[in-house]
Amino acid sequence: MTEVRLSHSDQTVAENATDTATAYEPTKRRRSFGRWFADTGWRHVVAIVVSIFAIFPLLYVLSASLNPQGTLTGSNQLFSAIGIDSYVRILTDPQIPYPMWFLNTILVATITGFVMVFIGALAAYAFSRMRFAGRRVGLITIVVVQMFPQLLAVVAIFLMMSAIGDWFPAIGLNTLSGLILIYLGGALGVNTYLMYGFFNTIPKELDEAAKIDGAGHARIFFTIILRLVAPILAVVGLLSFIGIVNEYVIASVMLIDPEKQTLVVGLTKLVSNPRYADWSAFSAGAVMAAIPVVVVFLLLQKYIVGGLTAGATKG
Amino acid sequence: MTDTLTTASEDTAPPSPRQRSAARMADAAGGRLRWLIFKIALLAIVDAVAVFAVFVLFLHNEWLVLALVAAVTILVNWIYFSRKQIPAKYLTPGILLLIVFQIFTLVYTGYIGFTNYGTGHNGSKDQAVASLMRSSLVRVEDSPTFDVTVVERVGELGLLVTDPTDGDVSLGTNLQPLEPVDDVTMEGGKAVAVDGWTTLQFADVLSRSNDIEALAVPYSDDPNDGAIRTQDGQKGYLYVSTLEYDAAAGTMTDTTTGTVYTDNGEGAFVSAEGEELLPGWQVFVGFENFVKAVTDASIRGPLLSVTAWTFVFAAVSVASTFFLGLLLALVFNHKGMRFKNTYRIMLILPYAFPAFLGALVWAGMMNESFGFINQVLLGGAEIPWLTDPWLAKVSVLLVNLWLGFPYMFLVCMGALQGIPDEVNEAGVMDGANPWQIFRRIKLPLLLVTVTPLLIASFAFNFNNFNLIYMLTGGGPRMEDTAIRVGHTDILISMVYKVAFTGENRDYGLASAFTILIFIVVALISIVSFRKTKALEELN
């Protein structure tokens, strides 16, 4: 591994050197435009074309959100008018409980993300560090059950939650707590499997040393392991958070009252008929909903990419 | 194990027995006690919730669920107070949630698939009879006026009824027929309070008038005896249904018209003329839903075409996103390229943007008459991007390419960086051209890493409900079908539509479809597990 990295950096240095060398001799560079294009130029063409494809819809929604006019047609002239009227409109319109949607989404996604990671980490610790009867079967069950996504069982979930609602209204249909519980049903899943792989990379000698010093299993878990695996916890937590922000099926079936709904349910209903929808208010809502997610994603992108490829090499 | 133990103790000087016992005592004095208190507090909360649950279930006569809750609570207490069950302590929370909200719901789905559960068939036969009789209640002329008091317990309303003839006091709820009670407070010959229940004050009665008008407390176990209802929470009257139920014969008779409705064995009362009384009730129908799905041409046709499209959609989505992502990763895998980071950020933005919003925005841009693509890019052309069966499929794939390629790009970048440069150099030495190096060496190495992710991506797209539902809503609608289904619907969105949209919700049929999907998913999983040997690697 170290050898690879060495030769890698050597090469970069060498290439940088040639780059600077050509930069000082512009005549030579101009003459070799054809070669430059064949080598790197076409790469820029591809990158620019795909970048336009990638960011165009995002620019469009940003422009539509800044357009005070409401309709879909009115949003077609990009950045022709700029104002924050539509932001004010969606935040204050008594017909659209957007602030509640936002709050509900943050609440559900944050709580679920945290608890899911915690429960998953507990299980990953047991699977990684302890040897007990049924361990292998347990791991296989987790992977296999995850193959059947929860949304497939949405009918059964709906009927079960409406029965539970008759007995315990606090966690039945139309409650955020019930929705969180359903999501937590998936706490032992691919995430645990991913965390299990990461836990295995933490040397067992650390636990054993702590054990000799008299630490119990709980203390080892909370004070040593959880700190060492923090990066994977962050990645799994963030991916769960984003997954829950996007979850429509169960949320739409569970949450009935408009002010109980989450962003994905509310905003989808809002533009269910694009002809009559207040398109710029929707766009404003979309921009406000997306910005926190995008910012967090971009800040943590290195870890996320690491997590994805870690999963890739292990999965 | 022993090796590591000895090395560990050699590295750090082994503590003497005295040091060790001192450390243990310090632990016991500090940390352990705190942990113990924390643990007991948590368990106390769990037990308190469980006791409450048992109490509520007891009131509803749900004995099976009650027994399960009690058993699980005892098990949880045993696990956390035991000194030996260490793995169980870490696994219990996750496993309990998994069993209730995933495994149970899967099994329950299987059960519903064999019933006629759906609109008009929601409850048990008793509930259907009660509901039918309740819906046709009429006040009995010249019946006595009962003094009533509205009482409440854990959110459930009840009526405390004083009989005007003999002064007997009885209590009942919507579900519980009147039964004599003791321990009542009398006031002027009228019972006004009873132990264990809260009496509703006048203001509460006013604010909950809708609930109170819906109260119809059965007079006795026999539904034909009628029910007591009240309008004002003060006076109650006897109401009797115009339907008469004969439990022995299983018939309902309309006393006003004389029509007899008999149990047709499929969860409803039907008259001789074929008129059906709704609501009916839920019955086990065996393979009827499956038979209907396979033999009824107006369901089988759409089911087959939806299944085919689901596979095409998932496969093309994986292929298109992977190849665009791979192309970009190869383009960027060049050391001298400038602005790499800027491009990279722009390219992964669609992945960072919440997917459902992306689909909704594209739906707006692709609108036939007002959308940006037709109006601005194509100068007013009215191309039916989302409303023509074939174009809608193309649009779905295009939008999914937009949503999915950044992920593949990131993954391929990571995987390419994992391939050492020596591989490239060795290829060059042997005289291979760049294409040969890529095709014969790099791509196979890359595929080893990304194949599991491609399978996962296929599984994800197989159930990519959000994209379909938010972009096209499954539309355009297919014609001549018995179920609501469109040309771009995939299996999961079809299930959702059958179960939750439209006038008739057919949970039974939807669950039967779900079971068919389960079988398909299970087959794919088995094959892919065999291929990747993922399970064998678990140790």
Side-chain angles (χ1 to χ4, degrees):
Chain A
M1 222 19 218
T2 37
E3 277 179 10
V4 176
R5 217 175 288 152
L6 268 179
S7 67
H8 192 272
S9 55
D10 279 347
Q11 219 174 22
T12 337
V13 171
E15 282 205 1
N16 281 346
T18 46
D19 268 5
T20 39
T22 45
Y24 284 112
E25 291 164 280
T27 43
K28 205 174 178 183
R29 196 178 168 188
R30 198 176 302 146
R31 209 169 18 168
S32 63
F33 176 81
R35 266 184 62 197
W36 171 81
F37 189 83
D39 189 37
T40 50
W42 66 273
R43 294 170 197 270
H44 287 279
V45 174
V46 174
I48 289 168
V49 169
V50 185
S51 294
I52 291 172
F53 175 57
I55 61 169
F56 179 72
L58 305 178
L59 283 180
Y60 168 78
V61 72
L62 184 66
S63 141
S65 78
L66 292 170
N67 191 330
Q69 273 209 2
T71 59
L72 201 48
T73 340
S75 310
N76 281 342
Q77 289 157 326
L78 292 185
F79 298 105
S80 59
I82 290 190
I84 56 160
D85 298 16
S86 44
Y87 287 85
V88 175
R89 208 157 61 234
I90 195 164
L91 286 173
T92 54
D93 188 342
Q95 302 287 315
I96 309 169
Y98 182 84
M100 285 308 292
W101 295 344
F102 200 94
L103 201 70
N104 292 340
T105 306
I106 297 289
L107 210 65
V108 170
T110 315
I111 295 178
T112 313
F114 265 104
V115 181
M116 205 177 230
V117 167
F118 181 66
I119 291 177
L122 285 175
Y125 176 60
F127 280 127
S128 162
R129 290 305 201 261
M130 299 166 194
R131 292 293 176 267
F132 50 91
R135 177 176 163 278
R136 213 184 110 84
V137 174
L139 273 172
I140 291 177
T141 312
I142 285 175
V143 178
V144 171
V145 170
Q146 277 303 301
M147 285 284 152
F148 303 97
Q150 230 179 352
L151 70 149
L152 271 178
V154 63
V155 174
I157 288 176
F158 170 74
L159 295 175
M160 182 177 78
M161 292 316 275
S162 65
I164 289 181
D166 289 343
W167 310 325
F168 312 105
I171 55 166
L173 278 188
N174 208 15
T175 61
L176 297 179
S177 45
L179 185 65
I180 291 174
L181 278 177
I182 297 174
Y183 290 151
L184 287 180
L188 289 192
V190 224
N191 291 341
T192 307
Y193 188 58
L194 197 67
M195 286 194 254
Y196 162 77
F198 199 90
F199 275 57
N200 282 344
T201 64
I202 307 284
K204 287 202 171 127
E205 284 79 0
L206 284 172
D207 304 22
E208 277 148 15
K211 218 176 269 171
I212 288 164
D213 289 348
H217 58 90
R219 175 175 277 210
I220 294 174
F221 175 69
F222 283 103
T223 58
I224 301 176
I225 302 287
L226 275 194
R227 277 175 211 181
L228 292 173
V229 298
I232 193 80
L233 299 187
V235 170
V236 168
L238 183 70
L239 290 180
S240 319
F241 181 91
I242 293 175
I244 287 154
V245 167
N246 275 304
E247 205 288 319
Y248 177 82
V249 179
I250 298 172
S252 77
V253 168
M254 275 287 291
L255 305 172
I256 298 151
D257 294 342
E259 66 275 14
K260 287 261 176 69
Q261 288 171 339
T262 52
L263 279 169
V264 57
V265 182
L267 286 176
T268 305
K269 297 259 157 70
L270 195 63
V271 287
S272 57
N273 190 341
R275 189 184 296 241
Y276 304 109
D278 185 345
W279 188 254
S280 56
F282 160 78
S283 301
V287 169
M288 284 189 284
I291 280 179
V293 181
V294 172
V295 168
V296 173
F297 191 97
L298 291 182
L299 288 178
L300 296 179
Q301 52 148 324
K302 275 190 183 149
Y303 301 99
I304 295 170
V305 174
L308 291 177
T309 38
T313 45
K314 284 195 196 84
Chain B
M1 273 301 265
T2 42
D3 276 359
T4 48
L5 261 179
T6 46
T7 45
S9 44
E10 270 165 18
D11 287 348
T12 59
S16 71
R18 261 189 79 188
Q19 280 175 319
R20 238 183 282 171
S21 70
R24 211 173 295 141
M25 274 152 72
D27 250 324
R32 292 263 165 90
L33 190 65
R34 269 213 315 266
W35 276 117
L36 191 67
I37 293 172
F38 182 64
K39 185 169 97 176
I40 291 175
L42 267 183
L43 274 174
I45 295 172
V46 170
D47 290 348
V49 171
V51 168
F52 171 76
V54 165
F55 179 66
V56 172
L57 291 167
F58 174 77
L59 288 179
H60 284 83
N61 299 326
E62 291 287 345
W63 304 113
L64 183 67
V65 188
L66 191 153
L68 282 174
V69 169
V72 167
T73 313
I74 291 168
L75 185 71
V76 165
N77 277 285
W78 177 70
I79 287 172
Y80 285 95
F81 276 116
S82 150
R83 286 178 165 274
K84 288 190 180 152
Q85 305 300 322
I86 295 172
K89 287 179 187 177
Y90 288 87
L91 292 170
T92 306
I95 289 180
L96 281 182
L97 288 163
L98 180 79
I99 289 176
V100 177
F101 293 102
Q102 286 222 306
I103 296 178
F104 172 75
T105 52
L106 291 185
V107 175
Y108 193 36
T109 304
Y111 168 75
I112 299 166
F114 292 95
T115 68
N116 64 348
Y117 217 146
T119 306
H121 299 274
N122 276 320
S124 68
K125 187 171 180 178
D126 286 347
Q127 283 171 339
V129 168
S131 153
L132 281 171
M133 302 198 66
R134 188 186 289 264
S135 65
S136 55
L137 285 175
V138 283
R139 190 177 155 188
V140 181
E141 297 292 331
D142 312 325
S143 71
T145 304
F146 296 84
D147 281 320
V148 299
T149 304
V150 185
V151 290
E152 185 185 14
R153 183 169 67 181
V154 253
E156 191 183 20
L157 290 180
L159 273 190
L160 190 59
V161 180
T162 316
D163 196 305
T165 49
D166 50 14
D168 281 353
V169 180
S170 45
L171 174 74
T173 67
N174 264 337
L175 302 170
Q176 201 75 45
L178 285 179
E179 271 176 31
V181 280
D182 307 321
D183 301 327
V184 287
T185 315
M186 303 295 287
E187 204 172 87
K190 176 188 178 186
V192 290
V194 61
D195 279 9
W197 294 73
T198 320
T199 303
L200 255 64
Q201 299 306 313
F202 185 63
D204 302 326
V205 170
L206 284 183
S207 67
R208 298 183 65 176
S209 58
N210 283 340
D211 292 343
I212 288 165
E213 274 172 36
L215 255 180
V217 180
Y219 196 73
S220 74
D221 286 330
D222 183 356
N224 293 322
D225 281 352
I228 304 276
R229 301 182 72 177
T230 177
Q231 299 293 323
D232 56 1
Q234 304 283 330
K235 302 286 178 202
Y237 305 97
L238 186 64
Y239 283 68
V240 172
S241 176
T242 54
L243 286 171
E244 203 171 321
Y245 178 55
D246 184 343
T251 56
M252 277 285 200
T253 311
D254 191 328
T255 49
T256 49
T257 61
T259 319
V260 179
Y261 298 86
T262 41
D263 181 350
N264 66 351
E266 285 171 18
F269 291 112
V270 182
S271 71
E273 286 83 46
E275 193 198 344
E276 203 176 30
L277 282 182
L278 283 179
W281 59 95
Q282 190 197 329
V283 289
F284 193 76
V285 295
F287 283 93
E288 193 180 292
N289 289 318
F290 297 89
V291 171
K292 202 158 79 174
V294 182
T295 55
D296 187 337
S298 64
I299 297 180
R300 185 185 57 204
L303 182 63
L304 284 178
S305 78
V306 166
T307 309
W309 162 239
T310 308
F311 276 95
V312 170
F313 164 70
V316 175
S317 291
V318 173
S320 63
T321 52
F322 175 65
F323 282 114
L324 184 56
L326 178 62
L327 172 76
L328 288 169
L330 289 173
V331 165
F332 279 73
N333 199 24
H334 183 267
K335 289 181 191 80
M337 194 174 166
R338 300 174 72 189
F339 312 118
K340 225 194 240 180
N341 272 329
T342 320
Y343 288 135
R344 216 175 71 120
I345 300 258
M346 283 200 282
L347 289 176
I348 62 174
L349 271 176
Y351 185 41
F353 196 68
F356 81 95
L357 289 173
L360 291 174
V361 169
W362 275 97
M365 297 204 319
M366 287 179 153
N367 184 285
E368 185 175 342
S369 350
F370 314 107
F372 188 87
I373 294 182
N374 279 345
Q375 282 291 310
V376 180
L377 292 186
L378 303 175
E382 295 219 341
I383 297 174
W385 292 107
L386 304 174
T387 44
D388 174 78
W390 286 101
L391 264 180
K393 288 182 181 179
V394 173
S395 305
V396 163
L397 290 170
L398 180 76
V399 174
N400 209 22
L401 177 65
W402 183 81
L403 285 169
F405 85 86
Y407 170 77
M408 292 294 181
F409 167 60
L410 290 176
V411 166
C412 289
M413 288 262 284
L416 277 181
Q417 267 153 22
I419 298 174
D421 281 342
E422 279 85 347
V423 169
N424 203 8
E425 284 160 25
V428 174
M429 288 291 217
D430 289 347
N433 65 32
W435 168 249
Q436 282 170 325
I437 293 175
F438 171 71
R439 178 69 192 78
R440 303 270 169 217
I441 305 171
K442 281 192 179 170
L443 189 62
L445 281 173
L446 190 86
L447 281 177
V448 170
T449 325
V450 299
T451 301
L453 289 181
L454 294 184
I455 294 170
S457 166
F458 183 87
F460 172 80
N461 280 307
F462 196 82
N463 291 308
N464 195 346
F465 176 91
N466 276 23
L467 171 71
I468 303 292
Y469 193 76
M470 284 160 197
L471 188 64
T472 63
R477 172 105 192 249
M478 283 184 194
E479 283 154 22
D480 307 327
T481 57
I483 45 178
R484 293 167 62 88
V485 57
H487 286 277
T488 52
D489 261 320
I490 54 174
L491 286 164
I492 183 69
S493 66
M494 183 181 73
V495 167
Y496 183 85
K497 281 181 167 181
V498 170
F500 295 109
T501 57
E503 293 281 289
N504 277 314
R505 296 170 157 211
D506 197 336
Y507 301 136
L509 187 64
S511 295
F513 286 159
T514 308
I515 295 167
L516 295 177
I517 302 177
F518 279 159
I519 295 170
V520 172
V521 174
L523 288 176
I524 297 174
S525 316
I526 292 168
V527 171
S528 62
F529 276 139
R530 284 263 169 82
K531 279 264 156 66
T532 58
K533 299 201 169 93
L535 291 181
E536 277 80 355
E537 278 169 24
L538 289 175
N539 51 12

